[in-house]
Amino acid sequence: MKYIDLRSDTVTLPTQEMRDSICHASVGDDVYGEDPTINRLEEMAADIFGKEAAMFVTSGTQGNQICVMSHTRPGDEIILEEKCHIITYEVGGIARLAGVQGRLLRGKKGIMNPSDIEAAIREDDIHQPKTSLICLENTHNRAGGTVIPLDVLKGTYEVAKKHNIPIHMDGARIFNAASYLKVSVKEIAGYADSVMFCLSKGLCAPVGSIVVGSKDFILKARKFRKMLGGGMRQAGFLAAAGIVALEKMTSRLSEDHDNARILAEGLNNIPGISIDMETVQTNIVLCDISGLKISANEFSAKLYERGIKINGGNTATVRFVTHYWITKEDINTVLEAVKAIAIK
């Protein structure tokens, strides 16, 4: 059976053009700086984001952890939204690897208020840790793919500069944010000192993420990457797909957003399901299925029987994520399947 896989945009398979580019990539030893395809990808990324330098990393989690380690010292404190990816899905890495503690703020749909951030910055007090970093997530995964408005980014950046604190942006899906805002990623990245973005989600590359920042920052980050085992050798085979991702996949993300909106509107009209439509901004749809009187695990199992994959759980919330390999016909199939479950 061919499954319609809406678990995440991490399940995307590389396109044929990516597969061909992998086969024909020129490679060398990247730890020596001699892989021409890695070098080209990093130069492209730095240019697209308006930063001095870039570095290929194995995953978004590795990229985020390297950035926290590079911006901070053990014993520091960093400010994060309470449900952000760095806190929720990175295995306590900031404590174990960077040796820092998180000061968690409650955001509105995943977005922290700049005034709340400023109020959370520690004073120069012998009893308190130093606030050394502000972390933003854009788009925000657990809030439903929500996007930080530019005026909020600007306000946060002004607070950070006032207190001489750097900003790291977990921009795993930053191209989705740019598509939603109808601006370039360079404009968004201008409000952060470092940005991590994924090639392996909606951009369809099989492996890898990129960190961008100043030359000095990336030089420091390279040493932490090596420490974490991320110094790869002929990694240009992976970078080749990343180049295609940046050249061909970033401009089509609005199609995924349109499909997510169609899906959300259809689901929201099914009795027993409710969706906060304000959160449906990009390619993630969060659904409250409490009205169906079944758990997310039961719901996902019923969909699986009909050839549709989503993640389950013990709560009454389920998530659908659209991507390159999901068509409008797939969306219609999913809606019909959910209607059949709801009627029973």
Side-chain angles (χ1 to χ4, degrees):
M1 180 185 291
K2 178 184 179 295
Y3 285 90
I4 298 171
D5 197 339
L6 291 154
R7 289 174 296 173
S8 176
D9 45 12
T10 61
V11 303
T12 50
L13 301 175
T15 64
Q16 187 59 51
E17 185 175 358
M18 289 179 181
R19 294 172 186 270
D20 292 341
S21 71
I22 290 169
C23 289
H24 299 101
S26 297
V27 298
D29 192 318
D30 180 44
V31 176
Y32 285 110
E34 295 175 353
D35 191 302
T37 311
I38 283 282
N39 293 343
R40 182 184 168 205
L41 173 62
E42 291 176 344
E43 289 165 4
M44 284 179 63
D47 181 63
I48 290 170
F49 279 78
K51 300 298 185 185
E52 292 180 339
M55 177 181 68
F56 182 80
V57 292
T58 61
S59 69
T61 294
Q62 185 184 72
N64 281 335
Q65 293 301 319
I66 287 170
C67 287
V68 174
M69 294 169 75
S70 300
H71 281 300
T72 65
R73 299 182 65 179
D76 288 349
E77 183 172 81
I78 67 175
I79 295 173
L80 315 96
E81 201 278 332
E82 65 177 357
K83 294 183 179 179
C84 72
H85 192 280
I86 292 175
I87 284 294
T88 308
Y89 297 117
E90 299 191 7
V91 206
I94 61 168
R96 180 65 183 243
L97 300 173
V100 299
Q101 68 181 27
R103 188 158 196 185
L104 308 185
L105 303 184
R106 179 166 296 178
K108 182 178 180 180
K109 294 180 171 53
I111 300 167
M112 296 183 289
N113 189 304
S115 62
D116 292 339
I117 293 173
E118 185 162 31
I121 294 171
R122 297 288 190 173
E123 298 177 1
D124 186 9
D125 187 316
I126 193 172
H127 303 91
Q128 298 182 355
K130 176 185 177 182
T131 303
S132 59
L133 183 65
I134 298 166
C135 293
L136 306 176
E137 185 177 345
N138 197 20
T139 67
H140 195 291
N141 181 3
R142 288 196 67 193
T146 50
V147 179
I148 304 176
L150 289 177
D151 62 329
V152 176
L153 285 174
K154 182 175 184 292
T156 303
Y157 187 76
E158 289 171 350
V159 167
K161 294 305 115 179
K162 175 182 174 182
H163 294 274
N164 197 31
I165 299 171
I167 292 176
H168 169 64
M169 184 177 293
D170 174 355
R173 297 180 175 90
I174 193 172
F175 283 98
N176 294 88
S179 178
Y180 175 77
L181 293 173
K182 295 180 171 55
V183 300
S184 68
V185 289
K186 183 181 294 186
E187 186 169 351
I188 297 173
Y191 296 113
D193 298 278
S194 64
V195 180
M196 181 284 298
F197 70 93
C198 290
L199 298 164
S200 56
K201 291 189 170 71
L203 303 188
C204 283
V207 176
S209 295
I210 301 282
V211 170
V212 297
S214 69
K215 287 181 180 179
D216 288 344
F217 177 82
I218 294 299
L219 186 63
K220 187 175 184 180
R222 285 190 186 279
K223 183 162 281 192
F224 284 120
R225 184 184 72 172
K226 181 65 177 172
M227 180 189 296
L228 298 181
M232 294 184 287
R233 302 300 176 174
Q234 287 73 37
F237 290 115
L238 302 176
I243 289 170
V244 176
L246 291 180
E247 289 178 337
K248 301 293 178 66
M249 305 304 289
T250 61
S251 61
R252 57 149 307 278
L253 293 173
S254 62
E255 298 172 29
D256 300 337
H257 300 178
D258 291 344
N259 283 338
R261 171 62 61 167
I262 293 169
L263 176 61
E265 290 174 347
L267 290 171
N268 206 34
N269 288 326
I270 297 174
I273 295 177
S274 63
I275 297 171
D276 181 352
M277 295 300 294
E278 288 186 10
T279 68
V280 186
Q281 299 173 8
T282 54
N283 67 322
I284 299 175
V285 179
L286 294 182
C287 305
D288 181 340
I289 60 167
S290 56
L292 299 181
K293 307 302 182 184
I294 58 175
S295 71
N297 279 332
E298 293 172 304
F299 183 72
S300 66
K302 290 177 182 294
L303 282 179
Y304 187 80
E305 293 171 357
R306 291 167 171 80
I308 299 160
K309 292 182 181 180
I310 65 168
N311 288 323
N314 295 317
T315 69
T317 300
V318 295
R319 186 183 78 157
F320 298 81
V321 184
T322 57
H323 50 77
Y324 178 79
W325 298 103
I326 298 298
T327 66
K328 284 185 171 59
E329 290 73 20
D330 292 332
I331 298 299
N332 292 332
T333 299
V334 171
L335 289 173
E336 290 304 313
V338 174
K339 288 176 184 175
I341 293 170
I343 290 171
K344 289 184 178 181

